[in-house]
Amino acid sequence: MFEDRNEAGRKLAKAVAETVDAPNADAKVWVLALARGGVPVATHVAAQLHAPLDVTVARKLGVPGQPEWAFGAIAPGGVALLDDEVIGAAHVTKAQQQDVIEQETKEMNRRFEHYRDGRPEPDLEDAVVVLVDDGVATGSTMRAAVASVQQRHPAWLVVAVPAGPRDTIGRLRGEVDALVCLERPSPFYAVGQAYRSFPQVTDEEVQRTLASAWGVGG
């Protein structure tokens, strides 16, 4: 169990450094945090790798009336991954799907623009990209983020998380070039079970962290 996201980030950073350094010594490295919870974790990974920190956003698509039950996820670049099994089990209609996608796209775009504040997105083509979150559960939002990053043609894509269930980690491992996960609790209930302190990360914390990383406003 990690004390908080900062401790998890420090431990994850060391493991990621062992994965990233050797086979890709000459490539440009970017650390991309999945906002919001991935930002404080990714800060330590970026520092360990001496790499620039940037941010992306993915949103879970929640079943109407049961928002924690995801029927898919979206990410920048028009990525929308839908889970037909959940859609069928929860009887989510086409109209409901579209309504949730529109709502979550609006929130995703708001956050993305809010965090970036006009700053251009990094060029990830032929780069090593380390995509970081504070953990995964079903993996739906991470899978959407992976698909979004892959559209930008990185040379090598690494997913790095402090914790996640074994089945999710196994599926994700097949979709990227490398995956680093420190803990796989069993049974797995939620990402928060891997942390003693797991408060929600606010928009303001994300902005402050990115402003510091980007040398803005100091």
Side-chain angles (χ1 to χ4, degrees):
M1 180 174 280
F2 306 107
E3 186 63 37
D4 54 20
R5 289 183 179 89
N6 285 313
E7 183 189 42
R10 288 190 293 269
K11 291 181 176 179
L12 186 64
K14 294 178 181 177
V16 171
E18 295 173 0
T19 300
V20 171
D21 283 354
N24 293 278
D26 297 327
K28 173 74 172 179
V29 178
W30 282 95
V31 174
L32 207 59
L34 196 53
R36 295 181 289 200
V39 173
V41 179
T43 301
H44 298 282
V45 177
Q48 179 79 38
L49 298 178
H50 304 288
L53 174 68
D54 215 285
V55 67
T56 191
V57 180
R59 297 288 295 172
K60 178 171 61 179
L61 302 174
V63 170
Q66 302 180 73
E68 291 305 310
W69 190 11
F71 69 83
I74 58 171
V79 171
L81 303 182
L82 304 181
D83 187 326
D84 291 334
E85 187 175 327
V86 173
I87 288 171
H91 307 291
V92 185
T93 67
K94 290 284 187 183
Q96 288 175 321
Q97 292 173 44
Q98 190 58 40
D99 186 49
V100 173
I101 289 172
E102 287 178 1
Q103 292 177 32
E104 293 299 340
T105 298
K106 186 180 297 184
E107 176 61 15
M108 178 181 71
N109 291 338
R110 181 199 71 79
R111 291 191 185 195
F112 200 68
E113 293 167 8
H114 191 53
Y115 299 153
R116 304 205 65 79
D117 195 24
R119 184 180 177 88
E121 293 184 60
D123 180 7
L124 304 181
E125 187 167 357
D126 296 327
V128 172
V129 178
V130 184
L131 186 56
V132 180
D133 204 354
D134 55 11
V136 294
T138 66
S140 59
T141 53
M142 179 59 83
R143 289 184 63 241
V146 164
S148 177
V149 171
Q150 286 171 335
Q151 290 181 347
R152 297 159 73 180
H153 308 293
W156 209 58
L157 177 55
V158 182
V159 163
V161 292
R166 293 181 182 277
D167 56 346
T168 297
I169 294 302
R171 287 194 300 270
L172 279 170
R173 194 181 299 278
E175 299 182 15
V176 294
D177 298 296
L179 188 145
V180 179
C181 178
L182 301 181
E183 300 292 340
R184 299 170 179 82
S186 182
F188 189 95
Y189 303 109
V191 170
Q193 80 184 77
Y195 294 85
R196 289 188 177 86
S197 176
F198 195 65
Q200 186 176 43
V201 177
T202 65
D203 282 348
E204 291 71 25
E205 289 176 271
V206 171
Q207 285 183 291
R208 284 198 302 270
T209 301
L210 293 175
S212 176
W214 295 340
V216 176

